[in-house]
Amino acid sequence: MKRKGRAVRFCGKTFRIFEYERLNDVKWRQGCFAQDAVGDWWLCLAVKQPVEQRPAPEESVGIDLGLKDIAVTSDGDRLEGSRFYRGLETRIAQAQRLGHRRQAKRLHRKAARRRADALHKFSRKIVNQYETIL
């Protein structure tokens, strides 16, 4: 794989990079192409980035997992059990009834990404704030 301006050349074919700025001044070793359930193709590259160590402002926190709230910390922060799928349920059902399989897959992917985003934001907040997680 070789870099060529805003694109990458692989096996004689040129592939445009959506966010090529992220690849400036970055070294990568290997990569692969992956296709998701919707049919979109992705270029996966492992890049080296320096890791900076900084102390967490607080020492420890406990996490309680539940049903009503997905997680509650000992300090009272909550990750509510949002209904990521329920907001799109009618649109998914309509797309499935009309036979629009690709649209239904995209809506399912949207719900999954909403859920993953909320979980990531909550866990990143905890990791940045506390030194030990119990």
Side-chain angles (χ1 to χ4, degrees):
M1 222 182 288
K2 292 186 180 182
R3 204 179 299 199
K4 187 173 182 179
R6 293 182 175 211
V8 172
R9 281 207 47 91
F10 178 72
C11 291
K13 296 192 179 204
T14 303
F15 300 95
R16 291 181 297 139
I17 304 293
F18 181 66
E19 295 178 352
Y20 73 96
E21 298 89 12
R22 288 185 169 195
L23 296 180
N24 290 341
D25 303 326
V26 176
K27 287 189 174 186
W28 70 74
R29 291 187 182 201
Q30 293 182 2
C32 68
F33 291 96
Q35 185 180 21
D36 62 7
V38 179
D40 295 335
W41 285 89
W42 303 91
L43 171 63
C44 305
L45 293 173
V47 297
K48 285 188 173 184
Q49 286 195 337
V51 177
E52 60 181 68
Q53 296 289 334
R54 51 188 163 161
E58 299 182 34
E59 192 164 319
S60 64
V61 67
I63 300 176
D64 180 29
L65 303 177
L67 297 175
K68 194 172 188 182
D69 293 322
I70 296 173
V72 180
T73 65
S74 57
D75 289 346
D77 289 336
R78 295 177 179 273
L79 175 59
E80 294 181 9
S82 298
R83 300 170 64 119
F84 302 105
Y85 176 76
R86 298 295 178 205
L88 298 172
E89 190 175 33
T90 56
R91 290 174 58 193
I92 291 171
Q94 183 180 13
Q96 288 173 340
R97 277 195 306 272
L98 294 173
H100 299 159
R101 297 175 72 186
R102 188 173 175 93
Q103 183 181 6
K105 285 182 181 181
R106 286 188 185 276
L107 290 169
H108 276 290
R109 182 174 67 181
K110 185 176 185 176
R113 286 183 176 172
R114 282 181 180 177
R115 185 181 310 106
D117 183 54
L119 291 171
H120 174 71
K121 285 179 181 176
F122 184 73
S123 62
R124 175 64 11 202
K125 180 181 170 187
I126 290 173
V127 168
N128 288 343
Q129 192 172 0
Y130 300 102
E131 194 171 308
T132 306
I133 301 169
L134 306 171

